């Protein structure tokens, strides 16, 4: 559901969050090449976006946040990752394949070779 931006604040990690008219917030990061929002980086840029409408996934009954699941050693995580991917695929389809819903995987080695 589209909601106008009424202001901005920073979260505990210093990331910018748009305050929406519905009372919810939405992160508005400038993180090229994934997301290009150069207006986020200055007070003047943010001011130009006041009144602009953004999708509020909370109002639409969706999810607005990040979750992290540690699966352990990357060499042993394939089965668990497959379960997560299958669960996500089912939830994604049930939600109507929304463009703001995604699953990301990252393998960490803690400095060890795999």
């Amino acid at each position: 559901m589209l909601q106008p931006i009424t202001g901005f604040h920073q979260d505990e990690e210093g990331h910018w969050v748009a305050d929406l008219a519905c009372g919810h917030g939405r992160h508005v990061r400038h993180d090229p090449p994934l997301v290009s929002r150069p207006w986020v980086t200055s007070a003047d840029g943010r001011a130009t976006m006041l009144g602009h409408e953004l999708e509020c996934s909370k109002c639409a009954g969706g999810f607005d946040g990040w979750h992290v699941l540690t699966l352990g050693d990357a060499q042993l995580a394939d089965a668990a990752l497959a379960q997560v991917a299958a669960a996500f695929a089912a939830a994604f389809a049930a939600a109507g394949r929304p463009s703001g819903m995604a699953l990301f995987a990252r393998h960490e080695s803690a400095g060890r070779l795999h």
Side-chain angles (χ1 to χ4, degrees), residues 16-27:
W16 285 102
V17 178
D19 301 318
L20 303 177
C22 59
H24 297 128
R26 176 162 169 197
H27 279 95

Side-chain angles (χ1 to χ4, degrees), residues 10-16:
Q10 287 182 292
D11 68 9
E12 61 279 353
E13 295 178 357
H15 299 289
W16 285 102

